[in-house]
Amino acid sequence: MLRVWARQKTHRRLLSEEYFVLLAAAFFYLNQGIYLYAIMGNGGTGGADLNAYSLAQFDRYSKYILADEISFVLSITFVKLSILLFYRHIFTLRNFRQVNWVLLGTVTCWGIIALFVVIFQCLPVHGLWSMEMKLTGQVTCLNSPKMIFGFEITNVLIDVTILIPSVFMVQRLQLYPVKRASLSIIFLLGLFVCITCGFRAHYIWDPATGKARSVPASMDWTAVEQASAIVCACLPTYGPLFSNISHLIAGLKAWYLSLRSTLQRISRGSSDSKTKNLTSHSGHSVKSYSDCSQMEMGPMQETAQEAV
């Protein structure tokens, strides 16, 4: 919503990248809603250990996981497409745009393939959420943790491939070094998404056992990965939101300087007034002392003359 607000402050219409990031956010919230409902909803698991599930609970859990994985793939894919479309509007170099087209095609194909693999990871498809079919050998499934681990590896590679050209282009912009460095840091924050991918991959698959190290931890890092990806995609567009803040800071600074100058003038005026009063009082005291001396010396002089 902040990105849409920033776009409206510039009085410009929403572009395709805004619609894609809104779709990514919608699927992210759907993903989290499904996860919470799987735990707390009607017939939910209550967060119990997988080994403690009944057959009915496991079947429902498998359906929720499938919906969760589908929404995750769509959310991450739409984020990547939004970033690449945003780059097309700010970097107009012909060679960069050619690379950008290749990346757009790569991300689109990656998303379609990942979605296809998630949906058809078991044959027949409905065998994914039927524990009875799995126990009787009526269904053939991929190793889900291993599949998601491979998904995360390709995910990180694509993220790095998206980041490198953008940072290279920022270095070529005619900007002050400080501003160029700050823009580079904003774009490089996407590396945090790569780190979250690594943590998710760590918890989702253990090569020694062929199973997930921790399903709850992997689900938590799934949420962090999606949220950080959406935030990093939106950060470069938040500039208009801070334009008024810079004017406010400048106004406060001018007000402070004016107030300080006024206080200094008042202080100097007060000091000058005290100095004048002190000088006037000193002069009056000297004059009074002189008059008193003359008055005292008069009778003494007369007495001296009489004695003579």
Side-chain angles (χ1 to χ4, degrees), residues 35 113 169 185 258 281 300:
Y35 180 51
I113 293 171
M169 290 301 298
I185 291 172
S258 176
H281 180 71
M300 292 177 64

Side-chain angles (χ1 to χ4, degrees), residues 71-184:
S71 59
F72 173 78
V73 170
L74 290 172
S75 177
I76 289 297
T77 302
F78 286 140
V79 168
K80 296 182 192 303
L81 292 174
S82 174
I83 293 172
L84 290 171
L85 290 170
F86 173 70
Y87 288 169
R88 289 189 63 79
H89 285 107
I90 61 174
F91 302 128
T92 57
L93 190 66
R94 184 170 177 269
N95 291 337
F96 178 85
R97 289 201 161 194
Q98 290 176 344
V99 173
N100 189 269
W101 274 119
V102 173
L103 290 173
L104 280 169
T106 301
V107 170
T108 302
C109 293
W110 175 82
I112 293 172
I113 293 171
L115 195 61
F116 182 87
V117 172
V118 167
I119 294 174
F120 297 100
Q121 59 184 291
C122 287
L123 294 176
V125 175
H126 66 275
L128 175 63
W129 56 82
S130 176
M131 176 55 72
E132 184 179 353
M133 292 180 67
K134 290 179 179 178
L135 293 174
T136 57
Q138 301 178 43
V139 60
T140 303
C141 295
L142 296 173
N143 185 326
S144 182
K146 191 174 183 179
M147 175 194 72
I148 298 175
F149 181 83
F151 171 84
E152 288 298 337
I153 295 299
T154 56
N155 188 17
V156 171
L157 291 176
I158 291 176
D159 285 345
V160 173
T161 307
I162 291 174
L163 283 172
I164 291 175
S166 65
V167 175
F168 174 76
M169 290 301 298
V170 168
Q171 296 303 314
R172 299 189 59 177
L173 294 176
Q174 299 299 318
L175 299 171
Y176 290 109
V178 174
K179 191 169 185 179
R180 191 186 303 119
S182 63
L183 281 175
S184 298

Side-chain angles (χ1 to χ4, degrees), residues 1-4 16-34 71-82 222-223 225-234 238:
M1 298 306 296
L2 287 176
R3 181 167 182 169
V4 174
S16 55
E17 53 263 35
E18 271 79 43
Y19 291 109
F20 273 105
V21 83
L22 286 174
L23 283 172
F27 280 109
F28 165 66
Y29 289 121
L30 176 63
N31 177 276
Q32 295 307 296
I34 293 170
S71 59
F72 173 78
V73 170
L74 290 172
S75 177
I76 289 297
T77 302
F78 286 140
V79 168
K80 296 182 192 303
L81 292 174
S82 174
T222 298
E225 180 181 345
Q226 291 178 89
S228 59
I230 293 171
V231 171
C232 290
C234 295
Y238 287 164

